[in-house]
Amino acid sequence: MSKNYLKIINVFFLIGLFGAGNLVITEFTTGDGCPKFGAAITCLIILICFILPFISHLLKKWNLIYFLFTGIATLIALVASVMQYIGNAECPKSDSGIPMCYLSLLIFTSLITLKKIQLDYVNYK
């Protein structure tokens, strides 16, 4: 059971890294790929919030880092999703037109949930 959760978590990370990485590349090449939070590029923050927990997950240590950065990204995605929904912000959209902040919220929430389930299983065993 634990190995399946590891595989699913890896898939979510790869999807997130690919999506956020493409947005960051677009931002650096065109200057128009990501929303800004002050001087900070939001997509770059999200990319970092994918990279550090993924490293933590692969090394099977530093769970605090995993949950801290996935939690930060979940909060950012939640705020962006609410602002997108009420019309106060515009998130980058996927090729199918879905706001990426919605997808980020789904992915990060899933990563937190799956990691918690995996850790509970390992600790119970």
Side-chain angles (χ1 to χ4, degrees):
M1 178 174 169
S2 181
K3 296 232 185 248
N4 290 334
Y5 281 109
L6 292 174
K7 290 176 188 175
I8 294 169
I9 291 172
N10 289 343
V11 169
F12 276 116
F13 271 121
L14 293 176
I15 291 168
L17 286 166
F18 180 74
N22 280 336
L23 288 173
V24 169
I25 290 168
T26 301
E27 176 63 31
F28 285 137
T29 56
T30 67
D32 192 25
C34 302
K36 315 293 186 289
F37 184 70
I41 301 168
T42 309
C43 299
L44 184 57
I45 296 168
I46 295 298
L47 181 61
I48 292 167
C49 288
F50 273 116
I51 292 170
L52 294 177
F54 190 45
I55 292 169
S56 166
H57 174 70
L58 291 175
L59 296 176
K60 298 179 183 166
K61 51 168 83 167
W62 306 315
N63 289 328
L64 178 63
I65 297 292
Y66 183 98
F67 287 111
L68 177 66
F69 282 93
T70 54
I72 289 168
T74 302
L75 183 60
I76 292 169
L78 178 62
V79 169
S81 295
V82 169
M83 291 177 68
Q84 167 76 32
Y85 183 75
I86 63 176
N88 288 347
E90 187 70 28
C91 296
K93 301 221 177 3
S94 70
D95 291 339
S96 61
I98 300 170
M100 297 289 263
C101 51
Y102 295 172
L103 298 174
S104 288
L105 181 59
L106 175 65
I107 289 170
F108 280 111
T109 303
S110 298
L111 286 171
I112 290 169
T113 303
L114 289 169
K115 188 67 166 184
K116 176 74 172 101
I117 291 168
Q118 184 224 345
L119 290 174
D120 286 348
Y121 176 76
V122 168
N123 290 332
Y124 179 74
K125 195 175 174 184

